[in-house]
Amino acid sequence: MTPEDLDLLAELCRSRAGLRVEIDKTYLIESRLAPLARRESFASIDALMAAVRLGRDGRLLWAVIEAMTLNDTTFFRDRKVFDHIRDTLLPALARRREGKPVRIWSAACATGQEVYSLAMAAEEARDALPNARFEFFGSDLSERCLEKAQSGLYTQFEVQRGLPIRQLIAHFESQDETWAISPRIRQGVRWRRVNLVDDLSGLGRFDMILLRHVLPDLDPTVGRRVLEGLAGQLSSHGVLVLGPLEGGAELTGALRPADPLLGIFTRDPAFRAAA
Amino acid sequence: MKTCLVVDDSRVIRKVARRVLEDIGFEIAEAADGMEALAWCRTAMPDAILLDWNMPVMNGLEFLQRLRQEPGGQAPVVVFCTVENSLDRIRLALDSGATEYIMKPFDGGILEAKFAAAGLL
C-alpha cells in the first residue's frame, strides 16, 4: 500500500470510528483489507483504496473501516470476570431491580461470544435468583460480525476457546461440525449496529455495560468520549466492565473504580447523567 | 513438576501434545494405546492424562473405565482428545469420569485452555 493510502485509511478510521490504526503495521493492514478487496471484486487493495478515495460509496467506506476492527474474541474471556459477574454482580443487580429486568449491554460484541457468555452465566445464576429477569443487548460497529453473532453458529474451534465442555453440552446443539447455541439463549439477546462515537442517549439505561479489549484500539481522546458516553447510559447503580488493566478512571472523571483489577467501574455520582 | 501421560496411537499427535504440554510445565510420558497406558499408570500414576478414543488393542473409553478400578486410579484428571464430536459421545466420556474434552483438530491454545478449565494449571 502507498503511504498516501495508509494515511487515508488511518484518518478515516480515526474520524469515523475513533479507531487507532498503526500504519507501520502494513502487513497486518493488508491482511485485513485483502479479503474485502476480493469480496468486493477489486483487482487489488490499491484499486479498493482508489474507490474509497473517490468517496462515492458510503457502504464501501464503512466496509473498509469494519475490516480494520479487531474481532478476536472467545467465550468467557478472562474467566475470573465472568465468575464475579455470575456470583456477585448479577445477584446484586437483580435485587436492586426487584423483579424488573436487569438490562445488560455488550457494547462491542464482535461475533457474540461475550454476550452469549453473559447469558449462560445468567442462566446459572438464575437457580439462586428465581425471580430475576435479564435482558441482553449486543452491539458492534461491524454488520458482518453482528450477522454471525445473531446466527448463534460457531465452528468447532470457536466453541473450544474458553467454553468448558459442560457448558458446551448444556447450551449447544451440534450439526456436523457446526455448533448452535440454544434458541432459548439466542432469542434472549437483541442486536443493533452501534458506533460508540455517536450519541448513545437513545439506547436507554443499562445496569451493566461491557466494553472489553476495545479501549487499547481507540484514539485516546475518542476513548475518553466513549467512556463518558457509556457512563451516561448507566443506571444509578449500574456498572461498566472494561478489560483488565485498561485504565478507565485514569481516562475520565466520569468513572469511579469499583474493582479495578477486574476492570469494574461505577459512574462517579458527580458526573452529570445523560439527558 | 506435574506429570501427564499422552495416550494416542498417532506419533505426530503425541509429539504435538508433548511440545505444548512441556511448554506449560508438564513432564510427559507417552503411550500408543490403552493397554500401554494402563501399564504406565500401574508403574507411576500421572497427574493428568490426555486420552485419544479410537486406538488399537484397547480404546480410550475402556482404558478410562479400567483405570478408575485401579488402586489410585481415581486421581488422574482425564482430558479426552479425539475426533469423536457427537454430544452422545461427549456425555458418555464425562459420565465415565473424564473432566474435559477436546475435539480434534486442536491447537496449542485449545489444549492449554482445556487444561486450565480442568483445573490442571
Side-chain angles (χ1 to χ4, degrees), chain A residues 215 220 223-224 227-228 242 246-254:
Chain A
L215 278 179
R224 199 192 68 214
L227 288 180
E228 290 173 356
L242 305 176
E246 287 182 356
E250 293 102 87
L251 291 172
T252 168

Side-chain angles (χ1 to χ4, degrees), chain A residues 209-221:
Chain A
I209 302 175
L210 292 92
L211 183 75
R212 300 158 72 238
H213 306 283
V214 175
L215 278 179
D217 296 320
L218 295 185
D219 179 87
T221 326

Side-chain angles (χ1 to χ4, degrees), chain A residues 101-123:
Chain A
V102 176
R103 287 165 50 90
I104 299 170
W105 176 21
S106 169
C109 71
T111 42
Q113 283 91 330
E114 180 178 82
V115 69
Y116 287 135
S117 299
L118 290 164
M120 286 186 265
E123 282 260 307

